[in-house]
Amino acid sequence: MIADRILVLTGGVAGAAGVALSAVAAHAGGGNVGTAASFLLMHAPVFVASGLLRVNVLLRIGSLVLLVGLLLFCGDLLMRAYAGTRLFPMAAPTGGAAMILGWLMIAGSAFGLGRASPDRP
């Protein structure tokens, strides 16, 4: 399924971006860059795992909500650091709220909501 591939791809890109931004933050400073790097690195394995597991629909949707939140949150922090402006008003808090919701949906997936069909690989 395309969502599974997107999640695995996103995990790899988020991990690579997190490592690169960590290096930038270490050498050039910047609290927002370091925070964005940390968030990218800590969420990258979630995307890879959820793309590979295919447990149920709620896990996949929760992971995609988490991805949107991460993009908004980190995007806003990086825009502030490099462009001196916000992505849009309330982007970081909206992204943070989406990440919280995504994590709660992932937790809810433990109860088997939206089970994947048995014939899926």
Side-chain angles (χ1 to χ4, degrees):
M1 175 177 249
I2 191 74
D4 298 330
R5 290 182 184 197
I6 288 171
L7 288 169
V8 173
L9 173 68
T10 298
V13 171
V19 171
L21 289 172
S22 292
V24 169
H27 296 287
N32 283 346
V33 175
T35 300
S38 295
F39 271 76
L40 287 164
L41 284 171
M42 74 176 83
H43 287 89
V46 173
F47 300 127
V48 173
S50 63
L52 295 175
L53 288 176
R54 300 178 182 177
V55 174
N56 59 40
V57 175
L58 190 58
L59 176 67
R60 188 173 302 108
I61 293 170
S63 298
L64 292 171
V65 170
L66 188 66
L67 171 58
V68 169
L70 186 66
L71 291 173
L72 289 174
F73 184 79
C74 291
D76 191 55
L77 292 181
L78 293 171
M79 282 291 290
R80 290 181 198 191
Y82 292 115
T85 187
R86 293 176 169 246
L87 190 58
F88 59 84
M90 299 297 290
T94 301
M99 285 190 286
I100 292 167
L101 177 61
W103 277 113
L104 290 173
M105 292 173 77
I106 290 169
S109 75
F111 296 102
L113 303 174
R115 271 266 179 242
S117 64
D119 60 337
R120 285 201 51 202

